[in-house]
Amino acid sequence: MRQKEFLHTVLPFKDKVFRLAKRLLVSTDEAEDATQELYLKLWKNKNKLKQYNNIEAFAMTMTKNYCLDQLKAKRSNNLKLVHSNYKDHTISLQRDIELKDSVRKVHELIERLPEKQKMIIQLRDVENYEYEEIGKILDLQPTAVRVALSRARKTIREQLIKQHNYGIS
Amino acid sequence: MELANIEQLIKKYENAETTLQEEQVLKDYFQHNNVPGHLIEYKAYFNYFTESSAERFTKTIPLKPRKMNWKWLSIAALVVVMVSIYSINQSRGLSEKDRLEAVNAYQETQKALQLISKNLNKGEHVAVAGLQEFGKAQHKIFKTTKK
């Protein structure tokens, strides 16, 4: 596979790879590094790529595995991922609750989900994959994907309503 | 789209039974319409997904960074070796001015040493003369005591 052909097949989903990596690794820098690392891996294995009938799903699986490995390495080093998304609640209480604030709240709620649900939400609601594709990427049955997805969506909605009511009263 | 319809879709959505098209309908609805109060949380929720799908990977994708690294590393090593060889040679070879100075210092030292040895020789003569005098005196004494 030549470089041009390679780029033509793998570049269209680079943003999806990056967004999934960011969903799992939280920090933008780490997600960028992971994306670059992943494309390097794909390039090294470029001759084997043709064996896979769905290269995008294969790349997404690789992304998932790579990021989970990274997370595991971080945890065994006793390092916690630091993210600067914490906000000062006193300030946001003083202001009216803006839409932007609650969008950020959604982000935090998704961050708190278990990794599997996080990935499924990302793949379905952000990247619009079909259940079968998600199943292929994550190595799950489509029904299992639906169950986890439903659970994740309900959790987020409950938390949102809870926070909303708390804000009013 | 009617409100009742949207509410029904949301229910389906939460049970993960919606199709991608139906989910798109929901996303569009919450992006454009004035949303009634009891559904306001969903506005932020669906807008979040629309917003995050707009995020792009902006860095370049390197395909052969390792090889480049080796190349630059060898160039850097070569530069280091050349600089060190140059500086060693520089310190070994003396300049003309340094050489003259060294010769001068050598001559000055020789002069000074000569002066010292001349004076030392003078002192030796005196000492030897003193010794002879001492010997004579001793001779006299021993002669007298033997008698």
Side-chain angles (χ1 to χ4, degrees), chain A residues 85-102 104-105 108 163 166-167:
Chain A
N85 305 342
Y86 288 118
K87 58 193 171 80
D88 197 344
H89 285 285
T90 53
I91 294 173
S92 75
L93 278 178
Q94 283 164 5
R95 270 189 288 150
D96 293 8
I97 300 168
E98 294 167 24
L99 193 63
K100 231 185 174 177
D101 254 9
S102 40
R104 210 177 308 144
K105 218 173 275 166
E108 280 172 29
Q163 290 197 353
Y166 183 73

Side-chain angles (χ1 to χ4, degrees), chain B residues 89-144:
Chain B
N89 275 349
Q90 195 71 356
S91 61
R92 205 175 278 167
L94 288 172
S95 71
E96 189 62 15
K97 197 181 144 208
D98 285 339
R99 206 180 60 80
L100 280 177
E101 214 167 277
V103 169
N104 242 351
Y106 176 69
Q107 284 171 347
E108 287 296 311
T109 321
Q110 229 171 10
K111 246 188 238 167
L113 285 174
Q114 214 105 52
L115 199 70
I116 292 172
S117 74
K118 225 187 262 171
N119 284 333
L120 263 181
N121 280 343
K122 233 189 253 170
E124 200 186 272
H125 282 305
V126 175
V128 170
L131 270 179
Q132 278 171 350
E133 212 53 36
F134 183 70
K136 264 186 216 163
Q138 193 192 38
H139 203 65
K140 262 186 200 167
I141 292 165
F142 280 119
K143 257 187 185 168
T144 47

Side-chain angles (χ1 to χ4, degrees), chain B residues 2 14 21 29-30 46 59-60 68 79-80 82 88 90-91 104 107 113 118 123 126 130 139 146-147:
Chain B
E2 284 171 51
E14 283 180 350
Q21 287 77 24
Y29 175 84
F30 282 103
F46 284 105
K59 288 223 170 160
T60 51
M68 283 300 278
V79 167
V80 167
M82 275 162 71
I88 286 170
Q90 195 71 356
S91 61
N104 242 351
Q107 284 171 347
L113 285 174
K118 225 187 262 171
V126 175
H139 203 65
K146 267 184 185 171
K147 268 185 186 172

Side-chain angles (χ1 to χ4, degrees), chain A residues 120-121 124-125 131 144-153, chain B residues 16:
Chain A
I120 292 175
I121 281 270
R124 178 69 182 189
D125 283 330
Y131 295 118
V145 173
R146 277 174 198 263
V147 170
L149 182 62
S150 166
R151 203 167 290 160
R153 283 172 174 172

Side-chain angles (χ1 to χ4, degrees), chain A residues 3-66:
Chain A
Q3 183 164 341
K4 205 175 167 190
E5 196 190 346
F6 171 77
L7 290 178
H8 192 71
T9 38
V10 300
L11 276 192
F13 51 84
K14 69 172 175 21
D15 295 324
K16 293 185 183 180
V17 166
F18 170 65
R19 288 190 293 249
L20 178 62
K22 194 182 171 189
R23 176 69 62 206
L24 287 169
L25 299 175
V26 181
S27 115
T28 308
D29 283 343
E30 295 217 27
E32 281 169 350
D33 287 352
T35 311
Q36 289 181 333
E37 195 64 33
L38 195 98
Y39 269 92
L40 204 65
K41 272 187 186 173
L42 281 176
W43 172 246
K44 276 181 191 156
N45 295 317
K46 56 186 180 297
N47 296 322
K48 287 184 220 153
L49 280 185
K50 282 199 172 146
Q51 296 167 13
Y52 300 95
N53 44 14
N54 190 344
I55 295 178
E56 182 174 332
F58 173 66
M60 294 305 271
T61 310
M62 270 177 80
T63 311
K64 175 205 93 179
N65 290 338
Y66 180 79

Side-chain angles (χ1 to χ4, degrees), chain A residues 101-152:
Chain A
D101 254 9
S102 40
V103 168
R104 210 177 308 144
K105 218 173 275 166
V106 176
H107 181 77
E108 280 172 29
L109 289 177
I110 295 176
E111 229 161 64
R112 272 184 240 157
L113 291 173
E115 262 139 29
K116 192 172 85 181
Q117 294 183 16
K118 225 190 260 183
M119 287 190 282
I120 292 175
I121 281 270
Q122 174 73 16
L123 293 174
R124 178 69 182 189
D125 283 330
V126 181
E127 311 297 0
N128 298 323
Y129 281 108
E130 292 288 353
Y131 295 118
E132 286 74 24
E133 288 176 298
I134 299 174
K136 214 181 278 170
I137 291 170
L138 300 183
D139 197 20
L140 290 169
Q141 292 296 318
T143 42
V145 173
R146 277 174 198 263
V147 170
L149 182 62
S150 166
R151 203 167 290 160

